[in-house]
Amino acid sequence: MRVLVVYCHPVPESFCAAIRDTALDVLKAKGWEVRLLDLYAEKFDPVMGCDERRSYNNQAPQDPALKPHFELLGWAEAILFVYPTWWYGLPAMLKGWLDRVWATDVAFKLPVGKGRIKSLMTHVTKVGVITTCGAPTWWSVVVGQPGRKTLLRGMRALCARRCRTFFLAHYLMDASTPKTRAAFLAKVRMKLERF
């Protein structure tokens, strides 16, 4: 299995970094081929410019910096997202990556006229999300978990028909303790061993 780990956090010593490292260890131990995409480390530009937006419906973005990202999407059979939930959703850097990389002629083809969008991501059979969230579980549900819906409904709809998904969140992150963080990393390990 070829798995792309999409990691998005600006602080190198964050708990998300510990989650990332745990995930990489487990996936490599399974014998999977793993590639890490660290959006902050590579200084990914999440801003879609005027010309890119104007041509968005007609062709893939022409920015040469995006080509390696397109290649990673074509290579991956599984995608694991690791990020903090901020204001109930994805960090701007990750949302910008989705906007610019999951693009026309890369992730999908737009129909001529009123037809249906054609997926170009049917080789992806697994999508996982591991996140941290300052809010409690119940409040995240009340606000509709927009980050979860974006990735596990919206983006997953472009993947293989029977694409398997999972979502793990460490809620109340702002009040976490070494004990809750260790317990969560154990959950991450167990979930990924079955992924």
Side-chain angles (χ1 to χ4, degrees), residues 2 12 16 25 28 31 33 37 44 46 70 74-75 98 108 120 130-131 133 135 140 143 149 159 190:
R2 297 186 305 268
C16 275
D25 289 347
K28 288 176 183 175
E33 190 177 345
L37 176 57
F44 179 78
F70 300 156
W75 170 85
L98 296 174
F108 59 89
L120 300 177
I130 306 175
T131 188
C133 187
S140 297
V143 278
K149 288 179 180 172
C159 298
M190 280 184 1

Side-chain angles (χ1 to χ4, degrees), residues 17-143:
I19 294 169
R20 174 203 62 208
D21 293 345
T22 299
L24 292 172
D25 289 347
V26 172
L27 295 171
K28 288 176 183 175
K30 287 172 63 107
W32 287 12
E33 190 177 345
V34 180
R35 292 188 185 169
L36 172 65
L37 176 57
D38 184 334
L39 296 175
Y40 277 95
E42 79 158 51
K43 296 180 176 30
F44 179 78
D45 181 2
V47 178
M48 181 184 292
C50 178
D51 289 339
E52 188 175 318
R53 180 60 201 135
R54 282 185 175 143
S55 64
Y56 186 84
N57 290 350
N58 302 319
Q59 64 184 9
Q62 301 302 299
D63 182 345
L66 297 178
K67 189 171 188 257
H69 297 263
F70 300 156
E71 290 169 356
L72 283 172
L73 277 189
W75 170 85
E77 296 172 310
I79 302 175
L80 176 65
F81 295 94
V82 179
Y83 64 91
T85 296
W86 290 339
W87 286 107
Y88 315 107
L90 307 172
M93 177 79 76
L94 181 53
K95 178 60 170 68
W97 183 77
L98 296 174
D99 291 342
R100 298 192 70 209
V101 175
W102 287 62
T104 306
D105 295 336
V106 178
F108 59 89
K109 281 195 170 296
L110 287 174
V112 177
K114 293 185 177 183
R116 295 178 67 142
I117 290 175
K118 179 184 178 200
S119 172
L120 300 177
M121 298 293 294
T122 56
H123 54 282
V124 175
T125 61
K126 297 174 188 279
V127 177
V129 171
I130 306 175
T131 188
T132 58
C133 187
T137 309
W138 70 269
W139 183 248
S140 297
V141 170
V142 167
V143 278

Side-chain angles (χ1 to χ4, degrees), residues 5-17:
V5 177
V6 181
Y7 174 70
C8 185
H9 200 293
V11 180
E13 70 277 11
S14 70
F15 183 59
C16 275

Side-chain angles (χ1 to χ4, degrees), residues 149-176:
K149 288 179 180 172
T150 296
L151 294 172
L152 297 187
R153 288 191 189 173
M155 308 319 285
R156 183 244 175 258
L158 291 173
C159 298
R161 188 175 191 151
R162 291 198 168 100
C163 180
R164 297 184 65 203
T165 65
F166 80 84
F167 181 86
L168 266 182
H170 185 308
Y171 293 102
L172 293 172
M173 186 64 208
D174 301 337
S176 70

